[in-house]
Amino acid sequence: MISFSKLADELKLIDNSVASGKLMDNSTTPSQLQPSGLEVDKDDGKISFSKLADELKLMDDYVAPFQLQPSSLEVEQEDGKVSQQKKRRASTMSVATGVMSTLSGKLTTSISDEYNERKEVRKQASFLQKELSAINATLELPELMNELAPGAKNWRDDLREISYDMENCIDDFNRQFGGEDVEVGFFWEDVELHKRLCELHQISNQMEELRTLAVQSNARCESYKIDNCKASYGFVAVDPRLPAIYQEAISLVGIDGPMEVVSNWLMDTQEKLKVVSIVGFGGLGKTTLAKQVYDKIRQNFDCVAFISISLRPDMRVLLNRLKLKFGIYESSNDHGFDDIIEELRKYLANKRYLIVVDDLWDQSAWNTISCAFPDNGNGSRVLVTTRVEDVASVACRCDRECIYTMKPLNEENSRMLFSNRVFGAEVVCPPYLKDVTAEILKKCGGLPLAIITIASLLATQVRSMKHWENIRKSLRVQSAPNPSLKDIQNILNLSYTHLPLHLRACFLYLGMYAEDHIIRRDQLVKQWIAEGFVSSLHGPDLEDVGRNYFNELVNRSMIQPCKTSYGEVLSCTVHDMMLDLILCKCVEDNFISLAYNSEDIARLLHRCKNKVRRLSLSSMAVGGATYDTAIAARLSQVRSLLFNKPILPLLWFKYLRVLIIYNRWGMIDLTAVSQLFQLRCLMVSSDGKIKLPTKLGELVHLETLDIETCRLMESIPSDIVNLPHLSYLLLPPGTKLPEGIGNMKLLRTLRGLDMEKSSLECFMGLSELTNLKELCMSVGSLEMLMGLTKVDALACSIGKLCNLESLFISGIHVEREDSQQLGSLSNPFRHIEHLELSFWRLWRVPKWLCGLHCLRNLKLYVEETSTQDVHLLGELPSLVRLEFRACEIPGQRAMLGTGLFPVLEFLNLWSRKDTTAYLGFEAGAMPSLQTLWFSASNWGGTVPVGMEHLLHLQQIQVHAVCISKDSVDRLKEAEDAFKEALLMHPNHPSVIRTS
């Protein structure tokens, strides 16, 4: 806003400066100082600012009677009266809307025009915001209907596109004209004002057009009869039965016999390279069978690898992935096929190897990858799975005796798989549901994928006869022993149509990823949040809500669990047939667009009637194609973008909210991201270096920055500590944060911080991050390089992070008995679940550990321990995994009995001495223990007493910390002692020796 009195005071100062010669020098002319609309004094060629100031003082008095108050200004009430400050603002604005002064007619007119225009556009933006909410609610109605008339479908599609454009238009206005008042400087040029008015007018026209379209759309809606349905929501945890089905598929889907057959083929005495193929159509369980065989026989080979092939594989990337599986890192991705193949052949030349090539689609891919498999006469094996019989035959060199053809499950196995998923292994199907169950299973045709999918749908619904009958009738599948691909898609589509509305966009978003990609849960949830798919109506913590969404998709078998930990599914994959369904829906709804090459991009943009909203180039080979500005305009509306490598200019994507880059090698230049104003989530995964912009301050909406697996070319931008919404910061290990870490109040996750490189202020600033839930940091050698002052500051700060759920500290520090930092904390970490202090050696087990009732994973290193310390750890009620290192252990044996370690599944004990002589187990001890590792420098060849009481024990591993001939001999004695002691154990646990 304009304050003429304030300008007058400034003009007086300017006039004094000019008179004293402080403002103008010999190179300054009157024309350079002449504002638009001001005339130079004709007598001496100078501007009389003081004279203008006096006129401005008179103007403030002149405009006082005009009390026009703008709608955007709020009236402050003081004892029922309008404040004098607001009166002055109102008077000033009345001038801006009507009274022109001799100061600058053009200037004031332009400001007035912008203010009025902005006020009108703000009203339109408010209307669009309300209309956008109404549209989103309206769009839920047709989504609940299985089928729409063509007219209704077109109306829905048009309305969806309008909502996207509305949101972008509102974002444009907020970015450029988001302030409440017009604030100008005295020397504004007419050109700048004219430019702003043109931009404002353009946005105004766009809003008016969208408003008209919305009104017309509402009118069209009245001609369609759409009933509203309400979905109910609640807290969702992973169904514990489902991961068991995937993990124990061998015994649940009837592949015991097939696994035995294929294993025997691979483990015969033939010394020549042998290739065995598993063939069958999608959903039969080829990959499950191959994985079970692989796990069963892998220990008989020198090196092993399991690698999946996509429908359109990038063979260079594929071969490099195979190199990584074998641990070959020395060469770059720039080598040609011949060089990569030669590296693989050289590595495998003298080894007996086992390689599984999963989901092979065509002969050309096999012809390329098989060149890397030398026939070295060492009895090496390759196992191929494919849907195509010709490909299976070519891979096996036309040896039909090496081709195993998958068959559907028989009736008994189908019923068992279905029943275990719906009711659990210990519960039988109720009699009133047996007939309808038989009909449903008949329509699934013995396909494990179809059975698990439909069973998962029924497991999440009420068990009523009427509901199950409705599901059966929805399966429009002919009774046939081998359903066609179309029939299977119908079963999968039924599961999609029964998804609650809040899960559909989340499910379709999985189409951003390539086939067989392992998708990390936490990354996916952050992308959903950035896109606005996660609703605060389902809970205040969006990350927790997003994880519930993920768990529900797991429970419904829409995604398959991959990595699990402590009952949580941490990553998933999407079955290729489910991915086909996703991509089909994405085309129908213009949700995600895919491109595999530059021709696909051009074809996509020319054929698609709607704008591209999300673009995945995840399977696109890197090429040197060029793109014109017309393509850039069509891509400007993209909200989520996934690259294998940035091959398109990032500045094209004006409205980008999510940017995901997967690039194995090479430098990635991210300097342009600073101009992506709407960016909320940036994730880069690369073994190469990345270059960030020097400033990130423009990214006011950024919530997630995940570059953990990359190498920074330079330090992190200094203004990152000022980003107002940054909640998840995952940096490369060893990163130094700039000063001001205490400003990052909203941080929930901080990884990669290197405290050895940081200042004392950074240590102290950590205490301000009270919202932190996860902290992962390295400290180097604190005592030697940094001094105890910083150690004390770090311990003090960590002790104040009361909301921590995960704390990981790597580095070397030994606490002394008279100076314990972390060991002497007072009641910290009440909510912590994961605590890993790998090389921060505490003096003793800290007493505050006994209050950590949520702790599930503990990695602890102490100087001394005692039986009481072990009992303290054993009383932790939620502890599932424990890695405990003690430099010195007491002489007396620690006997563990009923009540200690009630849910512990994994125990790793390390000490210089032989820890096997230190532990003993009474009846009822460690009732859930499955894996027990012993690591020692000196083995005595003894075995803990009471091993027979560990009823669920499956594996024991003995490990020598120091390698010498004597230690290896003693380790072999320890292995033999364990094997002898466990001969009568009911589980017959395996014993593994490592050194």
Side-chain angles (χ1 to χ4, degrees), residues 228-355:
N228 193 2
C229 298
K230 297 295 183 182
S232 59
Y233 311 118
F235 175 76
V236 179
V238 173
D239 188 334
R241 293 170 298 181
L242 192 58
I245 286 178
Y246 286 103
Q247 293 170 2
E248 302 171 10
I250 176 175
S251 61
L252 294 174
V253 298
I255 61 172
D256 304 59
M259 185 180 67
E260 191 69 23
V261 171
V262 175
S263 298
N264 289 338
W265 288 356
L266 292 168
M267 293 304 297
D268 63 9
T269 58
Q270 178 177 312
E271 295 183 353
K272 292 178 58 179
L273 174 66
K274 186 174 186 179
V275 181
V276 172
S277 294
I278 302 173
V279 65
F281 52 86
L284 274 174
K286 299 183 298 296
T287 300
T288 300
L289 173 57
K291 184 64 167 64
Q292 296 298 324
V293 171
Y294 173 79
D295 288 339
K296 179 181 179 181
I297 68 173
R298 59 179 300 174
Q299 68 270 17
N300 298 292
F301 296 84
D302 300 327
C303 57
V304 296
F306 193 109
I307 190 165
S308 297
I309 315 292
S310 63
L311 181 59
R312 298 178 177 87
D314 183 331
M315 295 307 299
R316 185 193 303 272
V317 173
L318 183 65
L319 290 170
N320 275 307
R321 279 172 49 206
L322 188 56
K323 284 172 52 183
L324 292 175
K325 296 276 188 179
F326 292 134
I328 307 173
Y329 300 103
E330 59 268 18
S331 64
S332 70
N333 192 42
D334 297 330
H335 287 190
F337 283 130
D338 293 344
D339 297 322
I340 300 173
I341 290 173
E342 186 59 32
E343 283 183 279
L344 286 167
R345 291 182 65 88
K346 182 178 179 180
Y347 179 81
L348 298 173
N350 299 314
K351 294 180 174 64
R352 187 177 190 226
Y353 58 84
L354 169 66
I355 299 173

Side-chain angles (χ1 to χ4, degrees), residues 156 218 249 270 340 360 420 560:
R156 180 201 65 185
N218 287 337
Q270 178 177 312
I340 300 173
L360 187 65
N420 286 343
Q560 297 179 336

Side-chain angles (χ1 to χ4, degrees), residues 281-283 387 447 482-492 577 580:
F281 52 86
R387 304 183 189 188
L447 268 74
N482 295 319
S484 65
L485 179 61
K486 183 178 180 181
D487 297 333
I488 302 170
Q489 288 286 4
N490 182 45
I491 294 174
L492 303 183
M577 294 190 66
D580 290 341

Side-chain angles (χ1 to χ4, degrees), residues 167-179:
E167 189 172 5
N168 291 340
C169 192
I170 294 170
D171 290 339
D172 282 341
F173 173 73
N174 288 334
R175 180 183 184 183
Q176 299 181 52
F177 306 96

